[in-house]
Structures are given as C-alpha cells and as structure tokens.
Amino acid sequence: MEILLYVGILVVYFAVMIFIGVKNSHSSRSVNGFVLGGRSVGPWLTAFAYGTSYFSAVIFIGYAGQFGWNFGIAATWIGIGNAVIGSLLAWAVLGRRTRVMTQKLDSATMPDFFGKRFSDDKLKIAASVIVFIFLIPYTASLYKGLGSLFAMAFDIPYWVCIVIMAAVTAVYVLVGGYMATVWNDFVQGIIMLFGIVVVVVAVLMSKGGLSQAIVDLSQISAGGQQGAYTSFFGPDLYGLIMVIILTSLGTWGLPQMVQKFYTIKSERSVHTGMIVSTVFALVVAGGCYFLGGFGRLFVTDISAGYDSIVPAMLAESLAPILIALVLVLVVSASMSTLSSLVMSSSSTLTLDLIKGVKKDMGHKTQMVLIRAFVAAFIVVSAVIAIVYEEFQLSFIAQMMGVSWGALAGAFLAPYLFSLYWKKTTKASCWACFVFGVAVSLFSLVLSLSSASLPESFTQSFLYRYVFSSSVYTGTWTMLAGFVIVPLVSLFTKKPDAAGLEPLFKPFEQLREASDAEESILPPEEEGVQAVPAPAEAAPVRSFSDGEQE
C-alpha cells in the first residue's frame, strides 16, 4: 500500500512538471526565449530559480549528512552563510550590475560576457571549455543520495531512479526552455520550503523534541571533548569556515547561478528577489544543515557513507506520507538544479564554443544544437552517475568534488572585478582561469595518489590545510583570485577606457546623482535654506530590456 502511495504522488508530480513544460512551449521558439526567457522573468520566479538551483539533493542528502556528522549543530552556520553571503550579498553585489552590463553587451552566458567585456573571442572559448569540462561531473553529482533514498521507499535499482528523473527533466526543459524551468523551480521551491520544515519538526519530535535532542547530542564526545557537537562552532572551526566560504561565496562564480540575474525583468525587481531568495535560503539550507547536525543520534556507523545518514534518520522518524513528501522534496531539489545546469551547459557550448568558431551559424541551427546539447548533457551526467555507483570509480568521485572549486576559482574574481573595476585586464582573467584549473587538477592528482604520497608531505602544513580536502583547495583557490586579478591588472596592458564608458556610465550617473542629493542641506540645518535640485539632475533611469525605462 505504501508503494502505491509513493508511486501515485510521484506520477502526479511528474505530470505537473511536464504540463508546465508544454504550457510554456511558446516562449522557447527563439534563442533569447529558450535560454533567457526573453529577459522578462519576475522577481519571485527568479528568486526561486536561484534558490532551487543553489540547493540540490546533494545538500539535503550528502552535505547535510556529512557536515552535520563532522560539525554537529554548528553545521547550521553553513546554512546561515548560504543565506547571507550566497543569497543576500550575491543579489546586492551582483544583481543590478550583472543585469545592466549583460544587456549592454547583449551577452547570454558568463563566457560570452568575458569575451565581449574584453573583446577577446579566445577568452570566451577558454571560459566555455572550463564550463563544459567541470559542469558535467558537477551535474552527475546531483544524483548522489537518490539511490539510498529510493531504495528505502521502493527497493528498486539505483539506475532506474536516475533514468526516470533525467527523462522527466529532459522533456520539460526541451519543450518549454527557460520559462518552463523557472515555473517548475517555483513549484519545486514551494515543495522544498514546506517539506524541510515538516521533516525537521518530525525528526526532532521522534527524539523527544528539540531540548531533549540537544541534551542527548551533548553526551556524544568528539576526540574526548564532551558536548562538542552542540557547541557554538563545533569541533573543527577551520573546516567549518572553509565550508561556509566555498558553499556561500563560491556561488558568485558559478555560471548557472549568475545567469539568473541576466533574466530578471527590471532593476527594481532585484530588491524583491534578494529578499525572497534570502528567506528561501535561510529556511532550506539552514533547515537541512540543522537537521544533519542530529545525525549522530540516529547513526553510529558510517561505513555505508555519509549519504546513508539522512535516509536512516528519515526511515526511523517519518510516517509513510511524510516519506512520500521527502521523496518529492529530494526529486524536486535534484531536478531544479539539473535543469539549471544543463541549460547553462548547453547554451554555453552552443553560443560560446561552437558559435565562437562558426560565427555565421543561423538561428534555426542554434536552436537545434542547444536542444541537442540539453539532451546530451542529461544523458552523459546520468551515465556518469550510474557508472560511478556501479563501479565506485574514485576518479569520478574526486572530479565531482573539485568541480565547484575549479569553476569558482576560475571565474569568481575575474567576474566580480570586471563588474566594478575598469582597469581589470584581459591578462588577469587568463591568469585566474589558468590558476584555478591548474590548482584544481593538481589537487585531483594528489587525492588520487594520496596512498603513495610521502608521509613528510601529508603531515606538512600545506597539505593538511590546503590539499587534504577538495573543500580546502577550492576555497583557497577562489580566494587567491582576489589577489591575482588586481596584481596582474596593475602590470599588464589596460583596456580601452573609452570603450568601457557605456558599460559603467549608468552606475557613475547614479553615484553622481546620489552625491548631489547628499550635498543639499535640509532647510532646518543651521538656518540655511534648501537649494532646489537643478533641472538637469533628474532621476537617473535604469535600463530594462535594452531600453531606458
């Protein structure tokens, strides 16, 4: 009977996803509509698309279990960091500038932005190759954890779960394009919000409530330290900080995340989207990591891996109807991120890599190729995930681990400086691209050959705090970019200042207008009469859809 309940709910859910795809098929007839939704997506849809792309089943099943096990209740700081740094500050710092500049440059992807910002097609092609190489294993990692959860509910092979999820995602993305993706993200986001709250409450109630669960967790020692898993910063502060930085600041350099700012319909929508996205992240990410912090109350042996922790918690705590809700929640989290990644990958490969070489490519050919690559990326990522599960190939597992760090390490600093600093040079972007990829691949080689490394090296400060974990390597690689870009820019050929004026003019006008308003004294201050603003100091208008609003 329980099986019928699970199957019935999933069938209804999949049918809704496909219906939304068909309903939005009219918006996917052009490249701009298929990839960017015509740059007319509202703040709520954009905010939910950003949040659901951010948080996948990897977080709910994998990261929540792993970091909750390692840090205890302190893992909640990761969720708070994701909300404040990864959502609130990301929207505040990147949102408006990304939207205005990408419209002025008429760029649809991050590699295209780099190419047009620095007038260098080779830079665009290099960026697209990095995206192509590192997004595939990242995409494959989305399926992590699904197997154990579906095995708990259905007792069916892992590959069947992957094939079903991949097929449904492919249908609604291919038919409806970006608008189908964001509408499905909205539905999936609501499920995630509701599901996380219900699951956290149910799990804690199964252990006698929050107070009793904390008391029980405090009895578990970490390296002889009693109560470490209920302490403010947990047993490993350095590791906690590294995870917070990578998973929060790292999103600023991920193509599929930044692209959400390209599509929002107006600048005033950025503020609304920022608030909605932050609340979403606080509930979903904060709830996931808080839940994972209690994993040691349910599991004492992790020989089956970190991915087994959360399913074990759920199996012990939840009634069948709530397990069905969790199934939909996890599938929603995976499908939303999967659709975002394949859209970003396929558009980058078509518009930046192939069109960068064959510049006379027609509109119809572009549409065919984008759809073909959407299907190809979904198939390839699913095959990689199945192969990894069947054969446990360490290379694939390690590639999944370095993908996030490599992408953020290569793109974050160049992208941020390109938005704010006119003197950012093309050479500094190249330097960061090379450094980010080289260090990530070096870390991959070290991890694959860790058993044969000399003890003197594995005990060194450099190895323990930089290369012993893909999290550490990714974080330091990403932070190093903030030194590389300004340093290289100071000693290399500066870009043409005149050519950059149209890009930075809207922001300089806004600053000048703000300064002018601040210089006007209020009438009651020291008896000085207020001076009316000059007629030419009219409110600065922002750009929307290529025109001034």
Side-chain angles (χ1 to χ4, degrees):
M1 190 64 185
E2 292 176 3
I3 297 291
L4 293 178
L5 173 66
Y6 301 153
V7 171
I9 289 178
L10 285 176
V11 167
V12 171
Y13 170 74
F14 290 148
V16 171
M17 298 297 102
I18 294 174
F19 172 77
I20 291 174
V22 174
K23 190 74 174 176
N24 287 276
S25 60
H26 65 279
S27 65
S28 63
R29 294 168 185 167
S30 67
V31 172
N32 185 48
F34 190 87
V35 175
L36 298 175
R39 296 185 187 267
S40 61
V41 184
W44 281 78
L45 290 182
T46 303
F48 271 74
Y50 184 92
T52 54
S53 298
Y54 197 164
F55 308 116
S56 67
V58 176
I59 288 181
F60 183 72
I61 299 295
Y63 285 0
Q66 177 182 349
F67 298 135
W69 181 271
N70 292 338
F71 306 126
I73 299 295
T76 309
W77 284 110
I78 305 172
I80 295 173
N82 292 170
V84 175
I85 302 172
S87 296
L88 180 67
L89 289 181
W91 279 75
V93 175
L94 302 180
R96 178 174 183 266
R97 285 194 175 245
T98 294
R99 183 182 181 279
V100 172
M101 282 198 179
T102 55
Q103 282 203 341
K104 295 288 287 183
L105 292 171
D106 191 26
S107 61
T109 64
M110 183 181 280
D112 191 34
F113 170 83
F114 282 123
K116 290 178 177 177
R117 168 69 169 78
F118 297 98
S119 302
D120 185 1
D121 284 343
K122 293 180 181 178
L123 192 67
K124 176 176 71 173
I125 292 173
S128 63
V129 169
I130 294 172
V131 171
F132 173 72
I133 291 174
F134 289 101
L135 271 191
I136 287 183
Y138 184 20
T139 306
S141 70
L142 298 178
Y143 301 101
K144 290 179 64 178
L146 283 175
S148 55
L149 192 64
F150 271 74
M152 177 184 72
F154 299 109
D155 193 24
I156 60 176
Y158 174 72
W159 67 268
V160 175
C161 312
I162 293 178
V163 169
I164 292 173
M165 192 184 84
V168 174
T169 305
V171 170
Y172 78 71
V173 173
L174 289 171
V175 173
Y178 187 82
M179 288 306 299
T181 298
V182 295
W183 272 108
N184 274 323
D185 287 347
F186 184 72
V187 174
Q188 291 159 346
I190 292 174
I191 294 171
M192 290 168 68
L193 283 172
F194 177 72
I196 288 294
V197 173
V198 171
V199 168
V200 169
V201 171
V203 169
L204 291 179
M205 291 303 295
S206 73
K207 290 297 180 180
L210 176 61
S211 299
Q212 186 60 48
I214 292 177
V215 170
D216 293 343
L217 189 63
S218 68
Q219 303 307 308
I220 302 174
S221 64
Q225 182 182 355
Q226 193 77 12
Y229 295 112
T230 56
S231 62
F232 201 64
F233 293 120
D236 180 11
L237 180 58
Y238 175 76
L240 180 63
I241 292 173
M242 291 293 102
V243 174
I244 292 172
I245 294 174
L246 182 65
T247 61
S248 302
L249 189 60
T251 59
W252 295 28
L254 298 181
Q256 76 277 10
M257 301 298 295
V258 174
Q259 194 172 16
K260 299 297 183 290
F261 302 130
Y262 292 30
T263 65
I264 198 164
K265 68 179 181 180
S266 67
E267 290 176 44
R268 64 175 61 92
S269 298
V270 172
H271 180 72
T272 304
M274 176 175 64
I275 296 173
V276 175
S277 177
T278 302
V279 173
F280 182 90
L282 195 60
V283 174
V284 174
C288 282
Y289 288 114
F290 179 72
L291 175 69
F294 294 95
R296 288 177 181 268
L297 297 181
F298 296 83
V299 178
T300 56
D301 179 17
I302 57 168
S303 58
Y306 291 117
D307 289 354
S308 65
I309 295 175
V310 171
M313 297 172 69
L314 303 179
E316 183 178 332
S317 309
L318 304 186
I321 186 65
L322 292 182
I323 290 179
L325 173 64
V326 171
L327 286 173
V328 177
L329 185 159
V330 173
V331 172
S332 296
S334 295
M335 290 177 66
S336 58
T337 308
L338 176 62
S339 62
S340 177
L341 287 170
V342 298
M343 285 290 290
S344 180
S345 303
S346 61
S347 58
T348 293
L349 194 57
T350 302
L351 302 178
D352 301 328
L353 188 57
I354 296 179
K355 193 180 178 184
V357 176
K358 189 178 180 181
K359 299 183 182 298
D360 59 344
M361 186 188 302
H363 175 269
K364 185 176 181 180
T365 304
Q366 292 179 47
M367 290 298 300
V368 170
L369 281 177
I370 291 174
R371 282 191 163 95
F373 284 127
V374 165
F377 270 98
I378 291 176
V379 170
V380 170
S381 62
V383 169
I384 290 175
I386 293 171
V387 169
Y388 167 62
E389 181 68 19
E390 290 293 325
F391 300 101
Q392 293 296 310
L393 298 180
S394 59
F395 176 77
I396 292 177
Q398 298 300 332
M399 275 293 289
M400 291 175 180
V402 303
S403 292
W404 185 308
L407 290 166
F411 295 143
L412 172 55
Y415 186 74
L416 185 59
F417 276 98
S418 297
L419 292 178
Y420 280 88
W421 193 34
K422 291 181 183 179
K423 295 182 180 180
T424 305
T425 65
K426 177 172 59 178
S428 70
C429 291
W430 279 110
C432 215
F433 287 4
V434 172
F435 179 82
V437 172
V439 172
S440 298
L441 293 179
F442 177 69
S443 172
L444 174 63
V445 172
L446 285 181
S447 64
L448 292 172
S449 57
S450 58
S452 60
L453 293 174
E455 186 177 351
S456 59
F457 179 67
T458 58
Q459 295 300 316
S460 67
F461 180 89
L462 181 66
Y463 182 81
R464 285 188 294 130
Y465 291 98
V466 178
F467 292 111
S468 61
S469 165
S470 60
V471 172
Y472 299 168
T473 305
T475 302
W476 284 115
T477 303
M478 184 174 67
L479 294 177
F482 290 99
V483 177
I484 294 172
V485 172
L487 191 62
V488 174
S489 294
L490 290 176
F491 295 99
T492 52
K493 183 181 178 181
K494 303 298 183 290
D496 178 24
L500 295 175
E501 285 303 320
L503 283 181
F504 286 87
K505 187 176 180 180
F507 314 113
E508 291 171 351
Q509 286 179 331
L510 185 64
R511 185 170 60 250
E512 290 169 0
S514 178
D515 291 342
E517 290 176 2
E518 289 178 2
S519 67
I520 300 174
L521 297 174
E524 68 272 17
E525 188 169 314
E526 299 182 0
V528 179
Q529 291 187 348
V531 179
E536 60 267 27
V540 177
R541 299 183 181 275
S542 58
F543 292 92
S544 176
D545 298 328
E547 299 179 354
Q548 293 213 335
E549 294 178 338

